[in-house]
């Protein structure tokens, strides 16, 4: 049963047939700590007959979320250590994150900002704080790109988005505006002409990094949303998280990356899960991830290859952790591994 409204309570999870009545109390304990919202679009994709459904796994609360391992942390990628003013994260010299809002249309159970987002999270920046954030960007001429994230910035109304974009238009050294969002797949109807016009109103090049983790998310409505955005001149990239029980096999990853490319979304990052509290049941080992990425390399077109990324805990930035396929040898040559696991000499040994 699809409720045709966002699911935001344990009672609605029961009503929609997503949890059993007997699980209500254990799930309620999770939702008291971490926000819950499942959009009608995502709810409609869940197969109730599959106890391991990959869409449900991403959005339906799980009692294991209350188990925090010793290595998990509230701020796993160190945003707060690089926040000079409220709403700004300035980790890399030429770009900043602007976190104008901390609510989302859906709440992913593996979210690395799960301690900060949701109705009880950090909320939306007050006008004075937002202007202070713009002032910081304005005073730092090395900032070439502004990345709007949160929360999900596309939950803001077109009017508010237009006001923010017009403010960025006044800052000459900012050339690129990027949005990190799930909206085109979880609420594709939001991506209408009014929203697109607001995104384009600053006159700068706009990029959208689309977060999706399973090929089923790229359904007909999501495809339409992506088409409208790309046709308007907005460049789209993908961002996915490697998740146990969701996309931790080559076939699923290949289908997801092909779906992106078929819809003019360039595969960008495949993120290793961050050390967010209560998310250990989603994490693979890095070695498992490297094997999957190596197998993917030999399975699908180069157009479809994402970069396997780890955000180093503590705020030290991203590292490419894809398995290295080349190793230096003492004689000055190299051993190169192919996607089937074969090892070859480079330069090759001379023929006898």
């Amino acid at each position: 049963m699809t409720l045709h409204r966002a699911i935001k309570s344990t009672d609605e999870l029961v009503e929609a047939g997503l949890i059993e009545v007997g699980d209500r109390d254990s799930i309620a304990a999770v939702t008291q700590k971490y926000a819950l919202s499942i959009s009608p679009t995502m709810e409609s994709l869940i197969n109730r007959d599959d106890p391991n459904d990959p869409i449900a796994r991403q959005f339906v609360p799980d009692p294991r979320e209350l188990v925090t391992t010793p290595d998990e942390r509230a701020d796993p990628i160190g945003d707060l250590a690089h926040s000079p003013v409220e709403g700004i994260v300035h980790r890399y010299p030429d770009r900043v994150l602007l976190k104008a809002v901390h609510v989302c249309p859906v709440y992913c159970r593996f979210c690395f900002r799960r301690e900060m987002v949701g109705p009880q999270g950090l909320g939306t920046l007050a006008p004075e704080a937002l202007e202070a954030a713009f002032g910081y960007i304005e005073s730092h001429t090395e900032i070439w790109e502004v990345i709007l994230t949160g929360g999900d910035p596309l939950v803001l109304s077109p009017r508010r988005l237009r006001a923010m974009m017009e403010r960025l238009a006044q800052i000459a050294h900012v050339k690129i505006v990027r949005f990190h969002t799930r909206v085109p797949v979880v609420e594709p109807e939001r991506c209408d002409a009014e929203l697109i016009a607001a995104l384009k109103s600053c006159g700068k090049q706009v990029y959208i990094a689309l977060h999706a983790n399973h090929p089923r998310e790229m359904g007909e409505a999501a495809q339409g949303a992506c088409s409208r955005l790309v046709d308007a001149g907005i460049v789209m990239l993908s961002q996915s998280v490697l998740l146990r029980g969701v996309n931790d096999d080559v076939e699923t990853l290949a289908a997801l990356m092909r779906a992106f490319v078929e819809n003019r979304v360039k595969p960008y990052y495949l993120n290793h899960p961050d050390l967010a509290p209560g998310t250990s049941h989603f994490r693979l080992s890095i070695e498992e991830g490297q094997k999957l990425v190596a197998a993917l390399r030999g399975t699908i077109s180069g157009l479809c290859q994402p970069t396997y990324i780890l955000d180093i805990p503590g705020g030290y930035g991203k590292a490419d952790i894809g398995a290295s396929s080349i190793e230096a040898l003492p004689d000055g040559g190299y051993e190169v591994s192919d996607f089937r696991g074969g090892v070859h000499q480079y330069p090759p040994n001379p023929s006898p």
Side-chain angles (χ1 to χ4, degrees):
M1 168 183 183
T2 299
L3 298 189
H4 304 292
R5 64 178 185 271
I7 293 173
K8 299 192 175 187
S9 72
T10 51
D11 286 342
E12 289 171 338
L13 287 170
V14 173
E15 183 184 352
L18 295 176
I19 65 170
E20 300 294 334
V21 173
D23 296 328
R24 189 197 312 255
D25 290 347
S26 62
I27 296 300
V30 178
T31 60
Q32 287 172 9
K33 185 172 178 62
Y34 301 119
L36 165 66
S37 182
I38 306 174
S39 70
T41 299
M42 288 297 98
E43 184 200 347
S44 71
L45 296 180
I46 295 173
N47 179 3
R48 270 72 166 175
D49 295 327
D50 180 3
N52 300 310
D53 181 78
I55 307 299
R57 184 162 167 78
Q58 294 182 67
F59 302 114
V60 176
D62 186 313
R64 289 176 291 181
E65 294 176 51
L66 298 179
V67 178
T68 301
T69 63
D71 53 357
E72 292 174 343
R73 52 189 74 186
D75 182 18
I77 68 169
D79 277 355
L80 297 179
H82 296 275
S83 184
V85 298
E86 185 182 1
I88 291 286
V89 178
H90 196 176
R91 181 179 286 110
Y92 301 100
D94 73 338
R95 55 204 182 275
V96 295
L97 303 183
L98 174 55
K99 299 191 290 184
V101 62
H102 287 83
V103 296
C104 302
V106 295
Y107 292 104
C108 303
R109 310 321 305 172
F110 50 87
C111 178
F112 69 96
R113 291 196 179 114
R114 63 198 326 236
E115 300 273 351
M116 308 171 192
V117 300
Q120 306 304 318
L122 298 181
T124 300
L125 284 187
E128 299 80 7
L130 184 59
E131 183 52 39
F134 284 128
Y136 179 88
I137 296 167
E138 208 160 31
S139 66
H140 286 260
T141 57
E142 73 275 19
I143 297 173
W144 172 80
E145 179 183 23
V146 174
I147 303 167
L148 284 103
T149 180
D152 193 318
L154 294 194
V155 302
L156 293 170
S157 69
R159 178 187 63 80
R160 295 192 65 182
L161 285 169
R162 180 181 289 274
M164 291 172 62
M165 297 299 273
E166 290 176 350
R167 182 67 179 86
L168 287 170
Q170 301 171 19
I171 306 175
H173 55 268
V174 171
K175 305 297 183 184
I176 304 294
V177 181
R178 189 196 326 173
F179 290 82
H180 280 224
T181 182
R182 259 194 177 280
V183 161
V185 296
V186 303
E187 284 192 341
E189 65 277 7
R190 279 185 177 267
C191 298
D192 58 12
E194 188 180 9
L195 180 138
I196 290 169
L199 297 182
K200 298 280 289 180
S201 62
C202 70
K204 302 179 188 292
Q205 181 58 59
V206 177
Y207 283 71
I208 283 181
L210 173 66
H211 182 177
N213 299 313
H214 193 274
R216 208 189 302 162
E217 296 175 55
M218 295 297 292
E220 185 176 345
Q223 292 174 31
C226 292
S227 181
R228 293 190 294 274
L229 291 162
V230 176
D231 286 348
I234 294 171
V235 180
M236 294 192 71
L237 310 166
S238 78
Q239 183 154 293
S240 304
V241 183
L242 184 58
L243 298 166
R244 188 177 297 284
V246 175
N247 56 20
D248 57 334
D249 62 90
V250 173
E251 293 76 17
T252 301
L253 282 176
L256 175 62
M257 297 304 154
R258 286 181 176 135
F260 286 142
V261 172
E262 289 164 11
N263 288 282
R264 296 177 288 172
V265 179
K266 179 66 182 80
Y268 180 42
Y269 281 163
L270 177 63
N271 292 276
H272 191 77
D274 296 307
L275 296 173
T279 62
S280 61
H281 54 292
F282 284 109
R283 286 198 295 276
L284 288 74
S285 70
I286 286 176
E287 290 77 16
E288 288 174 304
Q290 288 174 330
K291 288 179 182 177
L292 279 170
V293 170
L296 194 66
R297 194 174 300 122
T299 303
I300 54 176
S301 164
L303 290 173
C304 302
Q305 302 293 335
T307 301
Y308 184 32
I309 288 295
L310 173 71
D311 233 316
I312 304 169
Y316 299 101
K318 294 178 174 64
D320 180 349
I321 59 171
S324 176
S325 58
I326 191 165
E327 184 176 346
L329 298 173
D331 64 3
Y334 297 86
E335 282 187 346
V336 187
S337 300
D338 66 32
F339 69 92
R340 294 186 179 89
V343 178
H344 311 274
Q345 302 295 313
Y346 180 86
N349 293 327
S351 301

